Amino acid sequence: ADVVRFCIDERTFPTATLAHERLAAFQGPSLLVFNDGVFTDRDFESIQNIGDSQKKSELAKTGRFGIGFNSCYHLTELPSFLSRSSLIMF
């Protein structure tokens, strides 16, 4: 990614029409992070395997140790991202 932006969203949102009642706890506030990178098919596959990176031999790649995206659990209980046409929620 060439561009990274951070935004604290202090808003809260209604909970009456959520897909599941447990999502109510995640209706704000939130930390939003944007970058201009796009996930490849390989990235989508790799992010599903915690600690088993497919990037081990690529020394310049973020996530080559199998930790990468999982480090966001230090900041959130509901990590999610949008890339290409996919919304991914963990």
Side-chain angles (χ1 to χ4, degrees):
D2 294 320
V3 175
V4 178
R5 303 256 197 275
F6 296 86
C7 176
I8 296 176
D9 184 352
E10 296 180 352
R11 299 175 295 174
T12 57
F13 298 93
T15 59
T17 59
L18 297 174
H20 194 283
E21 62 189 33
R22 287 181 158 177
L23 293 174
F26 305 106
Q27 299 310 301
S30 62
L31 171 65
L32 308 173
V33 181
F34 163 84
N35 74 48
D36 63 347
V38 178
F39 264 51
T40 64
D41 290 340
R42 183 174 178 213
D43 293 330
F44 279 115
E45 185 177 326
S46 184
I47 201 167
Q48 297 177 55
N49 300 306
I50 297 173
D52 185 27
S53 178
Q54 296 179 11
K55 304 174 188 175
K56 290 177 185 172
S57 64
E58 300 176 48
L59 300 180
K61 283 288 228 176
T62 299
R64 69 184 175 275
F65 301 113
I67 300 169
F69 184 77
N70 294 305
S71 63
C72 72
Y73 283 104
H74 289 282
L75 300 173
T76 182
E77 296 173 349
L78 184 65
S80 55
F81 66 90
L82 176 65
S83 187
R84 299 183 341 201
S85 63
S86 297
L87 172 61
I88 310 297
M89 299 173 76
F90 293 90

